[in-house]
Amino acid sequence: MRLAKRLDLLPPYLFVEISRKIAEKRAQGERVVSFAIGDPDIPTPQHIIDRLCQAAQVPTNHRYPETDGLPQLRQAIARWYEGRFGVTLDPDKEVMPLIGSKEGIAHAALCFIDAGDVALVPDPSYPPFRMGTLLAGGQPHYMPLTEENSVLPDLDAVPPPVLQRAKMLWINYPNNPTAAVAGMDFFEKAVSFAKKHDLVLCHDAPYTEVAFDNYRPVSLLQAPGAMDVGIEFHSWSKSYNMTGWRIGMLVGNADAVHAMMQVKSNIDSGIPQAVQEMAIAALEGPQECIAEHNAVYQRRRDRLIEVLNQAGFKAQPPKASLYIWTRVPAGYTSVSLATEMLEKLAVVVTPGVGYGDAGEGYIRLSLTLSDDDLEEGLKRLSGWRPSL
Ligand SMILES: *Cc1c(COP(=O)(O)O)cnc(C)c1O
């Protein structure tokens, strides 16, 4: 058989060698502690599971869902955005449930990108921004996120010939992998830039509820004029520990939501309705679980920062997200450090270069491992010192 050329566009999987070593160690019975995966270890709250169990008994939920979801779910999303951010959404025109936000993020390029079009993508960033662009036949243009620029893309540095071909602008705050946050002033700037250059402004925002020290992240859609050019991807995955159930949302500009409906109605048949009912229960049920989970992450964050800094890192406690993003000590690359930690400590960290060239020189550690694994990981890390 002959595979499509587009598959050649996808960069080779960078962590092949690391994944092979992890599998090898585990096969030998060694305990490998992983700080690599951003996937909440705490179970989905019980009241949400209870709703699934009830919904599973209802025969109408055994049949095909609609692509645009249950009207009650779209209404619940609109009410949640109003309550949480003061953003008013038309549930029938400005809201679309997704099969996890990753699905919508990857498919968004099909709504905007033709062959040769450009999407402006932060570097480092969540891989589906660039992969969706490549699969649609477009070209990512990378905007480096640097500490000098407060980990915000320098929009004015995008060269005019690139801007002429650009159709999409991706941003993501609180950010994965850097854990950086952005304020309303940046969102306002991004909105006026997108308007000036006729771009759709796509904000990936799954971490607005995962925040510490009383910090409250904002929504892009709170920025004046954002609804004219902006869409926001949100998710139950990180807020309610629901990564396994696959449900997310797209909200914002009605034309963009309509385009996504056109694409998706030809690709999928929606989200299982019992899972949509879980999502309603999550948004409308008790919210204490969010503060409880954040307290757990905050405690883990502080423990990990302390141990990393004793080992010679200069890690800063993040205000939000599930990650610590920190520079590697002098003499290491992100991959050489990750490899050494795996070989010597059986501890897995993610090399920053996996998120883009500008991620070189950093590693990412996730806070979503069990407390038991965390303690073991801290014990191993606390005995480590740079050997170069
Ligand atoms: C976890 C995450 C998502 C959410 O993915 P789902 O498909 O909704 O589970 C989206 N964007 C980023 C940057 C993430 O880290």
Side-chain angles (χ1 to χ4, degrees):
M1 73 183 78
R2 291 162 302 153
L3 300 176
K5 290 194 184 61
R6 79 170 59 81
L7 295 187
D8 300 333
L9 298 170
L10 302 177
Y13 183 55
L14 262 165
F15 308 134
V16 190
E17 193 51 19
I18 291 180
S19 302
R20 195 188 56 74
K21 285 196 179 120
I22 296 171
E24 198 180 283
K25 280 186 181 287
R26 288 198 167 133
Q28 288 163 4
E30 195 166 343
R31 178 173 177 190
V32 177
V33 174
S34 180
F35 289 93
I37 306 162
D39 183 358
D41 59 300
I42 306 168
T44 307
Q46 189 57 45
H47 67 278
I48 302 174
I49 302 291
D50 291 344
R51 181 69 162 265
L52 169 72
C53 295
Q54 287 162 15
Q57 301 294 343
V58 179
T60 49
N61 290 341
H62 302 176
R63 309 190 66 192
Y64 280 125
E66 299 284 349
T67 303
D68 58 353
L70 293 166
Q72 306 90 287
L73 174 60
R74 296 197 306 274
Q75 288 154 13
I77 292 170
R79 275 194 297 273
W80 184 77
Y81 254 81
E82 183 79 59
R84 169 65 177 86
F85 299 115
V87 168
T88 305
L89 298 168
D90 178 338
D92 295 327
K93 297 200 173 76
E94 295 168 337
V95 175
M96 165 116 208
L98 301 168
I99 311 170
S101 57
K102 183 179 188 180
E103 176 265 309
I105 289 166
H107 281 141
L110 296 179
C111 302
F112 300 102
I113 297 290
D114 289 312
D117 288 346
V118 167
L120 306 176
V121 173
D123 175 10
S125 64
Y126 184 56
F129 305 157
R130 82 193 78 129
M131 302 305 177
T133 307
L134 290 169
L135 288 173
Q139 289 173 13
H141 171 82
Y142 298 115
M143 305 175 291
L145 303 181
T146 62
E147 287 175 39
E148 300 77 70
N149 284 326
S150 312
V151 200
L152 301 169
D154 181 359
L155 301 175
D156 299 321
V158 180
V162 172
L163 260 180
Q164 269 166 21
R165 292 163 51 213
K167 309 266 286 285
M168 305 180 85
L169 168 56
W170 283 102
I171 55 174
N172 161 223
Y173 294 96
N175 186 262
N176 175 13
T178 68
V181 297
M184 200 42 80
D185 48 343
F186 173 71
F187 289 152
E188 284 171 11
K189 188 164 184 216
V191 166
S192 71
F193 184 86
K195 282 192 181 181
K196 183 166 169 205
H197 299 288
D198 200 10
L199 309 170
V200 60
L201 174 56
C202 305
H203 184 222
D204 181 22
Y207 296 104
T208 65
E209 307 315 292
V210 187
F212 314 118
D213 308 320
N214 299 318
Y215 175 71
R216 288 287 270 170
V218 287
S219 162
L220 167 71
L221 301 180
Q222 288 170 268
M227 291 294 287
D228 299 338
V229 286
I231 52 178
E232 189 157 84
F233 293 86
H234 212 298
S235 178
W236 283 259
S237 287
K238 313 297 164 43
S239 315
Y240 300 100
N241 304 339
M242 285 176 60
T243 49
W245 303 107
R246 309 313 303 135
I247 185 159
M249 62 178 101
L250 166 66
V251 296
N253 180 273
D255 295 334
V257 169
H258 179 75
M260 190 70 109
M261 177 66 189
Q262 263 186 299
V263 166
K264 276 172 55 64
S265 60
N266 287 291
I267 293 179
D268 65 68
S269 298
I271 305 147
Q273 283 185 179
V275 174
Q276 297 187 50
E277 293 213 17
M278 295 173 82
I280 296 171
L283 296 182
E284 308 214 312
Q287 300 298 304
E288 293 82 52
C289 54
I290 292 183
E292 287 163 18
H293 303 152
N294 288 346
V296 172
Y297 298 135
Q298 185 168 327
R299 175 170 52 71
R300 293 177 182 171
R301 175 196 72 168
D302 293 342
R303 298 270 290 124
L304 187 52
I305 291 276
E306 191 188 330
V307 168
L308 286 171
N309 288 348
Q310 278 162 7
F313 288 84
K314 293 190 175 67
Q316 296 293 324
K319 288 202 184 86
S321 87
L322 294 170
Y323 311 105
I324 290 173
W325 177 254
T326 186
R327 246 185 220 284
V328 303
Y332 285 92
T333 65
S334 61
V335 171
S336 74
L337 179 63
T339 305
E340 178 173 318
M341 288 191 162
L342 179 58
E343 285 177 349
K344 290 200 179 149
L345 309 176
V347 163
V348 188
V349 301
T350 313
V353 73
Y355 301 95
D357 291 345
E360 183 49 87
Y362 293 85
I363 52 167
R364 192 194 79 170
L365 295 97
S366 166
L367 303 172
T368 58
L369 67 185
S370 69
D371 285 325
D372 199 36
D373 273 0
L374 176 73
E375 286 310 319
E376 179 61 29
L378 291 173
K379 207 159 78 191
R380 297 180 189 183
L381 285 170
S382 63
W384 184 86
R385 293 292 179 273
S387 62
L388 297 177

